[in-house]
Amino acid sequence: MVQLDGKHTGKYLRSQILEILKDYNIGIENVFSITCDNGANMLSTVKDLQKTFPNNLIMESENADGLEEDQEESNILSNILNAFKNSVNLITCAVHTMQLSVTDVTKSKDTEIREITKVAKACRKMSYKNDFGNGSHVLPPLYAKTRWGGAFLMIQHFSKNFSFYVEMGKKHSELDLSKNWQFIHDFTEAFEPVFSATTKIQEKHVGLSDFYLAWLDTIRKVNLVSNPLAVELSNTLTTRLNTLKENMPLKSALLLDPRFNFHKSNVFTLNERVEIRQFIKTTHKKLCDISSRINETPLSDSPNNNTNAGEEDELDDFLTDMFGGALSAASSSTSQKECSLEEQLIMLDVSPRQPHSLDVWKYWTDRRLTHPELYDIATLIYTIPSNQVSIERAFSALALLLTSERSAFNNDTLQNIFIARVNKPILHSSPEQEESLSETINLKSEKSSDSS
């Protein structure tokens, strides 16, 4: 993370990124993907972002400075992607795209949300202190601009405390929500699955096929709700997911995942399968060109948590209706005969379907010896983050480090502390990795001393 002093043109941003990669001895040919707020059709998505993202759930007066900041951020991302679009794959942030799905529905419900927010603010008046100050009832939560999850929690609060607020509305006209109760109940029912899914896919690491599965499960749950908001939400979730699915790394993740690609699966057409196989073979060739395959110890722990078994039957039935196939018990592949990459790809299409609770990371680490080429591709594809939440967390970490009391830090000191902070889990889990990271930090410090 560096401070940008020049004009944010594509050429300038490219030079800054290449300089950072150079510090860690990484060439641009080693960068496989960029995960960001923008999709494959970059310019179109940036325009959509600028039109819809800043203002949809803002209940306050519009903030011109905030709008300029959002547009400036979009322009920065656009310039970065323009500079690298010929050499890397672009991954749309799943969390942001799901938020845009919500925006597609809520942008026409601004009046209702403003009215509910007005009541939530009115509850904070001193005249109602006794009603909320005795511990029996809490104030309805307010929320930050552009974060629809806060709006959902506020509306959900009113729904959960329906009886209390009905009585309050009878006593105080400014707290009367009688015209809004149907909307409150419909909104809470329709958007609860999306709120839960958004929380789930913001976990430490959610791979591409796991996010796709979580999104499908969200559509399934929304479809169980019978109200106009749910119908509209289901349609936009489906539309945006279909757009995301046009991304080739995501298609590859689904092709390599036996929960989606199996005997007689209809996830892909024949032409799509040919295209995806070619992408996988091209990617493998690039890996081979960069370096010989690195023999790593298979990971015993998966970066993903398994789905709870409580709804396995329902979700698997839903997936069966969508894609066909019959579930098969997981089988070990250690006894299978080693075969070429082309043969391995073809075998994927005749593999038995696995339940949605399958740990796909472990599935491929178990096949490291029998399917070495596909193992390389799978561990690359499933390492790609489906969202940029880690970057947001990094910004938060930086804000905690760069306080007014520590404003005298020079760039190198701040960078070293920051690296140690965001890599704390690695440092705690592996002394070898800690030593390697320390050597990297020392090398960067030595370079800085030499140059000064």
Side-chain angles (χ1 to χ4, degrees):
M1 191 173 294
V2 298
Q3 179 175 338
L4 299 178
D5 299 318
K7 190 175 181 180
H8 297 155
T9 62
K11 184 177 180 180
Y12 171 71
L13 294 172
R14 180 184 176 90
S15 67
Q16 293 297 303
I17 293 174
L18 290 176
E19 189 65 32
I20 294 172
L21 294 175
K22 183 180 178 181
D23 285 344
Y24 294 93
N25 297 318
I26 300 173
I28 185 60
E29 69 277 3
N30 295 83
V31 179
F32 182 70
S33 67
I34 294 176
T35 301
C36 64
D37 280 350
N38 300 284
N41 190 344
M42 180 183 59
L43 294 178
S44 175
T45 307
V46 168
K47 290 178 181 178
D48 188 29
L49 174 68
Q50 292 173 338
K51 289 178 181 177
T52 63
F53 183 64
N55 298 308
N56 286 297
L57 288 179
I58 298 178
M59 304 307 144
E60 309 285 348
S61 59
E62 292 185 359
N63 184 328
D65 293 335
L67 177 58
E68 290 175 0
E69 290 173 3
D70 284 333
Q71 290 175 333
E72 177 66 14
E73 181 180 349
S74 296
N75 290 333
I76 292 173
L77 288 169
S78 177
N79 287 330
I80 291 175
L81 297 177
N82 268 327
F84 288 97
K85 63 182 179 180
N86 293 324
S87 55
V88 298
N89 296 286
L90 308 181
I91 309 296
T92 302
C93 175
V95 173
H96 179 255
T97 306
M98 187 166 279
Q99 177 167 318
L100 290 180
S101 298
V102 172
T103 296
D104 291 339
V105 180
T106 59
K107 62 187 177 183
S108 63
K109 310 299 179 184
D110 184 66
T111 301
E112 291 88 341
I113 298 176
R114 284 179 182 271
E115 291 174 354
I116 298 167
T117 305
K118 184 178 180 181
V119 172
K121 291 180 178 180
C123 290
R124 285 159 167 75
K125 292 183 178 180
M126 288 298 295
S127 55
Y128 306 123
K129 182 177 180 180
N130 291 334
D131 295 293
F132 294 96
N134 56 12
S136 58
H137 295 284
V138 298
L139 287 166
L142 299 178
Y143 53 93
K145 299 176 185 178
T146 72
R147 297 188 179 181
W148 86 271
F152 170 79
L153 290 174
M154 176 192 70
I155 295 173
Q156 183 190 53
H157 170 86
F158 285 111
S159 180
K160 287 183 175 180
N161 297 277
F162 171 74
S163 299
F164 171 72
Y165 286 103
V166 166
E167 293 301 317
M168 290 291 289
K170 291 177 180 178
K171 298 177 183 176
H172 312 285
S173 59
E174 68 174 338
L175 302 184
D176 184 15
L177 289 168
S178 57
K179 296 180 180 179
N180 305 103
W181 282 120
Q182 187 61 53
F183 173 81
I184 289 173
H185 293 314
D186 287 352
F187 188 97
T188 302
E189 244 190 340
F191 286 92
E192 194 282 329
V194 183
F195 181 80
S196 298
T198 302
T199 302
K200 181 177 181 179
I201 61 179
Q202 290 183 81
E203 293 175 355
K204 187 174 181 181
H205 178 79
V206 177
L208 295 178
S209 62
D210 284 318
F211 114 73
Y212 186 82
L213 181 66
W215 195 300
L216 285 179
D217 193 29
T218 303
I219 294 174
R220 177 184 71 85
K221 292 175 179 176
V222 171
N223 287 341
L224 296 175
V225 179
S226 299
N227 69 56
L229 284 176
V231 173
E232 192 175 349
L233 180 59
S234 176
N235 290 336
T236 186
L237 284 170
T238 302
T239 299
R240 287 196 177 271
L241 183 60
N242 288 336
T243 301
L244 289 178
K245 193 185 170 188
E246 294 305 309
N247 181 271
M248 193 56 70
L250 175 55
K251 286 184 176 181
S252 301
L254 298 181
L255 189 79
L256 292 168
D257 193 327
R259 296 172 296 182
F260 297 102
N261 186 35
F262 45 82
H263 184 51
K264 294 186 178 180
S265 167
N266 59 12
V267 175
F268 299 115
T269 65
L270 180 59
N271 289 338
E272 285 178 318
R273 290 178 187 277
V274 172
E275 183 183 20
I276 299 167
R277 287 176 191 162
Q278 185 57 49
F279 175 81
I280 290 176
K281 288 186 284 188
T282 301
T283 301
H284 184 260
K285 185 178 184 303
K286 288 180 180 179
L287 286 175
C288 294
D289 290 343
I290 292 171
S291 65
S292 60
R293 186 168 54 85
I294 300 173
N295 292 320
E296 297 176 321
T297 303
L299 299 178
S300 58
D301 295 323
S302 166
N304 306 305
N305 294 324
N306 286 338
T307 307
N308 292 331
E311 297 183 349
E312 285 187 5
D313 293 340
E314 294 179 6
L315 181 52
D316 279 324
D317 289 344
F318 175 74
L319 295 176
T320 299
D321 291 338
M322 288 192 67
F323 306 128
L327 288 178
S328 173
S331 59
S332 173
S333 63
T334 55
S335 62
Q336 295 182 13
K337 180 181 177 182
E338 186 171 325
C339 53
S340 68
L341 176 59
E342 183 69 31
E343 291 172 324
Q344 293 172 42
L345 286 169
I346 294 174
M347 287 172 60
L348 293 176
D349 297 343
V350 296
S351 299
R353 179 183 155 203
Q354 300 298 326
H356 83 274
S357 56
L358 174 77
D359 185 335
V360 70
W361 182 269
K362 186 177 186 302
Y363 176 87
W364 281 109
T365 55
D366 287 346
R367 287 155 177 75
R368 175 173 174 262
L369 298 179
T370 57
H371 299 72
E373 290 85 2
L374 281 186
Y375 164 79
D376 286 343
I377 299 298
T379 50
L380 169 64
I381 293 295
Y382 294 127
T383 303
I384 297 174
S386 61
N387 61 67
Q388 60 172 19
V389 173
S390 60
I391 302 301
E392 302 298 335
R393 292 192 180 110
F395 278 122
S396 297
L398 184 64
L400 294 174
L401 291 175
L402 193 59
T403 63
S404 57
E405 291 79 12
R406 307 169 106 178
S407 58
F409 277 154
N410 62 42
N411 288 338
D412 291 320
T413 300
L414 180 61
Q415 182 79 346
N416 292 340
I417 296 175
F418 178 71
I419 290 174
R421 173 89 178 220
V422 298
N423 289 283
K424 186 183 294 185
I426 298 177
L427 299 180
H428 284 179
S429 62
S430 171
E432 293 80 9
Q433 288 173 318
E434 180 177 0
E435 181 179 354
S436 175
L437 184 58
S438 298
E439 290 176 357
T440 301
I441 294 175
N442 291 335
L443 178 62
K444 285 172 62 64
S445 298
E446 290 173 3
K447 286 183 179 180
S448 175
S449 300
D450 293 341
S451 62
S452 60

